[in-house]
Amino acid sequence: MATDLTDLGNWLAVPSVVCLWAAVLLRAPGALRSPQQRGLWLAVATAAAAMTLNLPDVVAYAMSRGPGYAHTIGLVRNLIGVLSAGAVLYFVAATTRGRKLQLTACVATVAWLTTLVALDTAAPDHGTHTMPPVGDPVPSLAYWLVLISAHVVANIVCVGLCSRYSRRTESRGLAAGLRLFGLGTALAGLFWLAYLLKALFGSTWAMPALPLLMNLHGLLRAAAILVPTLFTLRRTFADTATTWRLWPLWRDLVEAVPHVALNKPRAWRVSELLWPPVPRNLLVYRKVIETRDAILILGEYVAPGAMEEARDQVTGHGVPEQRATAAALARVLKEARQAKLDGAPGQPGEAAGLELPAAIHTSQEGGDLADEARFLLDVAQAYAAPATTRK
């Protein structure tokens, strides 16, 4: 069982490091511009560097180059690990806006790094840094206690604050990122607590699980740093689907009322998505606003009582009120659009006769645009159905 855990942990080493570096590179542009995300990005980047230097093949290569080379790689790996621990504290401080904790993280990190270098220099000549199953730690017990204390303190503080603030924040993305980062940090904390037991009491029962703990921690931290990207992708896919479904209705209405559109409709729907005429994050906004404006103008071409008559024809059979209103609106919009294209005179002031649902009125007043988009999608679906054209 112990061998299986070790083998699984070693098998995850390369995938974990690859995922960490992929997350670091993907998030670098946005994270470096955001003070709140910079600490998280630095923590993951330094953890990726330390774990890269700890890969079995890297360690074997360092050992083959001689004791001096192995010592340098081991020391650099440990120093980067402490820098990662300090970055963890800084990330938590930046997220919770704790200026004292930010200062404490910086001071503590400098103190830990300085102490490690001093203890390494004072130790007798040695090769790579290690804590062998039997014998004294290399380069010294004091060195390892300082190294372990840096990680344990940072991890305990991080897990506590991530748990606390993930429950308080209203941002789903931030909450998910904090939980994933906290869970990954908890696994790293268990890793270093096992080393502490080995250093103080010679206990080795948990050692076979350490590669698995460390590499799972890497995967969770990679996931944590990618949360904003995943949320952005989800929103992009949702906006793309909304734009695609709304486009036929928007195109027909804008054809009748062209002055409401910021840009002239294109011949192909896919062109609107591949080469949007406005910033991609404003695509749904423009489509909704322009569709609504066109509906309000075409209301002047709706015959009195037409909306109530259309509603009577589509109500019943368990149809929800909003869907019935959308179907009725789609029916009268087809007639109003044709009347406008035929050059029929409008009736200014009659637009209110459409009795638009609360979603549109709320959006006009600065409310939730998403509610209006959902209603207009119902209208677009009904508009495309042949049944909305009265015989």
Side-chain angles (χ1 to χ4, degrees):
M1 181 65 178
T3 304
D4 292 340
L5 283 177
T6 303
D7 291 342
L8 177 59
N10 290 333
W11 180 81
L12 282 176
V14 172
S16 177
V17 169
V18 170
C19 288
L20 278 170
W21 281 118
V24 166
L25 294 175
L26 283 172
R27 290 298 303 155
L32 293 177
R33 290 193 300 267
S34 170
Q36 288 77 22
Q37 297 181 28
R38 201 173 297 147
L40 172 61
W41 182 86
L42 179 60
V44 176
T46 48
M51 291 176 65
T52 300
L53 294 177
N54 200 43
L55 287 172
D57 288 345
V58 175
V59 173
Y61 174 76
M63 296 291 288
S64 69
R65 293 288 300 273
Y69 192 86
H71 163 260
T72 301
I73 294 297
L75 178 60
V76 170
R77 178 177 64 240
N78 292 158
L79 294 178
I80 294 176
V82 170
L83 184 60
S84 177
V88 165
L89 285 177
Y90 185 86
F91 154 67
V92 174
T95 302
T96 59
R97 291 177 173 82
R99 294 190 177 276
K100 289 185 178 179
L101 183 56
Q102 282 180 297
L103 180 60
T104 301
C106 294
V107 172
T109 302
V110 172
W112 279 321
L113 292 173
T114 304
T115 303
L116 286 178
V117 172
L119 290 173
D120 180 78
T121 303
D125 290 341
H126 55 278
T128 188
H129 297 174
T130 183
M131 191 177 291
V134 179
D136 296 330
V138 180
S140 66
L141 177 61
Y143 177 95
W144 276 92
L145 290 178
V146 171
L147 176 63
I148 293 170
S149 69
H151 287 282
V152 170
V153 169
N155 291 337
I156 289 175
V157 172
C158 179
V159 170
L161 291 179
C162 283
S163 174
R164 178 181 177 184
Y165 284 94
S166 65
R167 294 193 300 268
R168 290 186 176 185
T169 182
E170 296 180 358
S171 168
R172 293 174 58 195
L174 180 58
L178 287 172
R179 291 190 185 107
L180 287 171
F181 196 84
L183 181 57
T185 303
L187 295 180
L190 292 175
F191 175 94
W192 289 106
L193 284 174
Y195 264 114
L196 182 62
L197 292 175
K198 172 66 174 65
L200 295 178
F201 308 109
S203 174
T204 60
W205 63 270
M207 302 301 280
L210 296 193
L212 180 61
L213 289 175
M214 181 53 63
N215 292 314
L216 285 177
H217 134 271
L219 293 173
L220 287 168
R221 284 195 172 177
I225 201 175
L226 285 175
V227 163
T229 300
L230 296 176
F231 270 72
T232 299
L233 286 175
R234 188 180 73 168
R235 180 175 178 178
T236 299
F237 289 145
D239 286 354
T240 299
T242 299
T243 302
W244 180 267
R245 294 169 59 194
L246 196 56
W247 191 84
L249 173 66
W250 169 84
R251 178 203 56 195
D252 273 13
L253 300 188
V254 165
E255 184 181 50
V257 194
H259 65 274
V260 302
L262 183 64
N263 303 96
K264 183 179 178 180
R266 292 173 175 171
W268 302 98
R269 182 171 11 177
V270 70
S271 302
E272 198 82 8
L273 300 177
L274 296 179
W275 302 281
V278 296
R280 193 172 296 277
N281 62 330
L282 296 178
L283 205 52
V284 170
Y285 173 81
R286 288 305 315 172
K287 290 292 177 286
V288 169
I289 296 301
E290 291 168 3
T291 303
R292 176 229 289 164
D293 290 347
I295 289 173
L296 293 175
I297 293 173
L298 289 175
E300 299 176 2
Y301 297 84
V302 175
M307 189 71 178
E308 290 76 7
E309 183 183 346
R311 194 196 302 273
D312 290 341
Q313 295 182 17
V314 298
T315 53
H317 306 292
V319 179
E321 168 126 10
Q322 178 161 306
R323 300 294 284 277
T325 302
L329 181 57
R331 185 184 295 272
V332 300
L333 280 176
K334 279 194 173 184
E335 295 181 349
R337 172 183 177 273
Q338 192 59 51
K340 174 72 165 59
L341 291 174
D342 291 343
Q347 304 175 58
E350 294 297 321
L354 285 178
E355 298 180 8
L356 298 178
I360 288 184
H361 293 304
T362 301
S363 180
Q364 285 180 285
E365 298 165 2
D368 188 359
L369 193 73
D371 288 338
E372 183 177 1
R374 281 189 287 270
F375 173 73
L376 290 179
L377 287 175
D378 289 339
V379 176
Q381 181 179 0
Y383 186 88
T388 59
T389 303
R390 290 194 298 179
K391 304 296 183 185

